[in-house]
Amino acid sequence: MRALSVIKSKILIEENIISKCGKLILNSVNPCKTLIVSDRNVAKIYLNIVSRELERLGFQVQAFLINPGEQSKSFEVAEKIYNVLTLNFMSRCDLIISLGGGVVTDLSGFVASTYHRGMKLVHIPTSFLAMIDAAIGGKNGVNSNYGKNLIGTFYHPSLILIDPLALKTLPSRELCCGIAEAIKCGCIWDKELFKILENQNFYNNINEIIIRSIKVKKELAEIDEQDFGSRMLLNFGHTIGHALEKIGCYKKISHGEAVSIGMNEITRISESMNLTRFEVPQRLKTVCKKYFLPTNNNFSRSQLQKAVLHDKKILNGYLNLVLIKDIGKSFIYKISDKEFINFLKNEI
Ligand code: ADP
Ligand code: ZN
């Protein structure tokens, strides 16, 4: 078993860890009332195993199942969960366990952090994106009518259990979307990780890829707990990516696909301005193609400009773009919104 800790969270990674989660959770949390939050797809495969494990050790377990998909990351669903917690007289000493992908992780983290000003929280991420991204670093959130993840907190689970075997049941498109974030981690901070993704078989190196991706997030999050400095590097590919998601109304394109296009577009531009080593755009494109990720977008420049300039990350007319000088070396390029329009025009 591999163990890591990120800020206040202990992370354990092992194949089949889901079937022995009871004892591991018991090491962190005393038996108590427990609400497992999951979605209907994941629950079908894993809920019974987790519930049985916990009940065997004296936890009083209930489950709350959401419909799979981003639309469940809403206030309405959060409120339904608060109601279940209240009707069961659950207190801050009781436990929420998230069992699922990024949607379940973000929603459960938000509810656990706000109900009675913070309950106990354990994440069991089952998608690749949740394992390396959503469950790590303590960010949670729900969507509002005005945008994704607009409402949320920083709240750290006591324990995160990662079972790489759960990826065997994950649909391959979902897996590849998560891989976009691992490629991002390699680009900004860890060139060895990039090389593994580039040259090796993914499944044969799955543990190493998970651990290295988490370590990138860990190092950047620990340097900067408040999302202002080094953590910003994690936004590589996301400025254009978020804009593409918005233009597509979050339906035509998934987050990972949007990030893949965003990383490729921005790197082609920065290379043409001599801010990036010349061979980087091609390496990035090839690795994204290996995992069936798109690398170009079909939207017009003006649609893209408009969407980017409405993004929440614009502060006082300035935009912080994350660029890479070389694989594993990233930097912040501060640019005004007017300059940004010219920057986009540089695209050949
Ligand atoms: P993400 O994890 O990409 O943020 P979701 O939480 O929506 O997004 O999960 C993506 C999809 O994959 C959902 O339909 C979810 O039910 C499904 N899913 C997550 N983990 C697994 C798994 N281990 N096996 C099968 N399906 C899974
Ligand atoms: Zn992302």
Side-chain angles (χ1 to χ4, degrees):
M1 184 179 307
R2 300 287 293 265
L4 277 170
S5 67
V6 176
I7 307 177
K8 293 165 199 153
S9 306
K10 183 167 166 192
I11 305 174
L12 300 174
I13 305 160
E14 192 176 54
E15 302 205 331
N16 230 354
I17 207 168
I18 291 184
S19 21
K20 37 191 150 151
C21 64
K23 254 176 113 179
L24 299 168
I25 293 172
L26 189 63
N27 288 338
S28 295
V29 186
N30 290 330
C32 58
K33 291 180 186 162
T34 301
L35 186 69
I36 302 176
V37 179
S38 190
D39 76 27
R40 292 182 206 286
N41 297 337
V42 174
K44 257 187 235 151
I45 315 173
Y46 301 105
L47 180 61
N48 279 342
I49 309 171
V50 176
S51 313
R52 254 188 278 123
E53 268 287 290
L54 287 161
E55 279 168 350
R56 193 170 63 81
L57 296 168
F59 290 81
Q60 288 174 52
V61 183
Q62 288 212 33
F64 184 92
L65 303 188
I66 63 169
N67 292 325
E70 192 70 29
Q71 69 286 354
S72 290
K73 235 173 86 175
S74 67
F75 268 127
E76 290 74 34
V77 178
E79 194 176 5
K80 284 188 186 147
I81 306 178
Y82 293 134
N83 292 341
V84 172
L85 295 169
T86 313
L87 291 170
N88 285 288
F89 305 102
M90 288 175 76
S91 76
R92 54 181 304 127
C93 303
D94 292 318
L95 171 67
I96 286 198
I97 298 180
S98 74
L99 175 68
V103 168
V104 167
T105 312
D106 281 357
L107 175 71
S108 312
F110 178 70
V111 169
S113 79
T114 45
Y115 181 78
H116 287 211
R117 296 191 184 80
M119 318 170 55
K120 301 221 162 99
L121 174 65
V122 169
H123 285 322
I124 307 181
T126 60
S127 74
F128 189 58
L129 187 83
M131 290 176 190
I132 64 164
D133 193 35
I136 314 296
K139 268 193 186 179
N140 58 50
V142 292
N143 302 327
S144 91
N145 292 336
Y146 295 96
K148 258 178 82 173
N149 295 324
L150 278 185
I151 324 290
T153 71
F154 278 100
Y155 191 69
H156 301 283
S158 38
L159 184 65
I160 302 167
L161 298 178
I162 298 181
D163 188 343
L165 274 190
L167 299 178
K168 292 271 180 221
T169 59
L170 185 69
S172 58
R173 184 178 174 205
E174 299 296 344
L175 177 67
C176 291
C177 290
I179 295 176
E181 299 281 356
I183 294 172
K184 176 198 77 179
C185 291
C187 285
I188 59 171
W189 204 250
D190 181 353
K191 68 171 191 276
E192 284 308 314
L193 170 60
F194 190 92
K195 282 190 197 157
I196 295 169
L197 289 162
E198 199 176 33
N199 302 320
Q200 310 285 327
N201 175 283
F202 179 81
Y203 283 107
N204 293 347
N205 292 277
I206 184 80
N207 288 10
E208 181 78 5
I209 293 169
I210 293 173
I211 289 166
R212 281 187 173 270
S213 304
I214 292 175
K215 277 190 177 159
V216 171
K217 203 160 178 194
K218 168 187 161 80
E219 284 168 27
L220 295 176
E222 283 178 350
I223 298 172
D224 173 12
E225 251 204 271
Q226 287 306 317
D227 205 24
F228 286 109
S230 59
R231 194 167 173 146
M232 217 148 53
L233 298 174
L234 292 162
N235 288 334
F236 177 54
H238 282 63
T239 304
I240 291 179
H242 282 148
L244 294 171
E245 285 181 276
K246 250 187 227 170
I247 305 172
C249 300
Y250 302 101
K251 287 194 183 104
K252 294 193 186 120
I253 186 169
S254 74
H255 180 68
E257 289 163 350
V259 169
S260 173
I261 296 170
M263 293 189 291
N264 280 277
E265 292 273 0
I266 204 97
T267 303
R268 276 194 289 269
I269 301 173
S270 62
E271 192 275 332
S272 72
M273 294 170 72
N274 291 326
L275 295 165
T276 300
R277 264 178 79 96
F278 74 97
E279 77 275 21
V280 171
Q282 188 56 45
R283 279 181 77 189
L284 179 56
K285 183 174 173 181
T286 308
V287 77
C288 290
K289 291 274 177 219
K290 178 177 173 190
Y291 299 103
F292 309 101
L293 290 162
T295 56
N296 308 77
N297 79 85
N298 302 319
F299 299 109
S300 73
R301 283 285 128 211
S302 64
Q303 270 179 309
L304 199 61
Q305 267 169 31
K306 236 165 114 185
V308 171
L309 296 177
H310 277 98
D311 195 84
K312 65 176 175 176
K313 295 210 164 60
I314 297 199
L315 298 170
N316 312 323
Y318 278 88
L319 185 67
N320 287 307
L321 288 182
V322 182
L323 305 179
I324 52 175
K325 208 172 271 168
D326 199 353
I327 301 297
K329 287 199 183 125
S330 48
F331 63 102
I332 306 281
Y333 188 72
K334 197 168 176 172
I335 185 169
S336 73
D337 44 9
K338 287 194 194 81
E339 286 165 331
F340 178 71
I341 293 170
N342 291 330
F343 185 89
L344 277 185
K345 283 187 190 143
N346 242 298
E347 168 69 313
I348 315 145

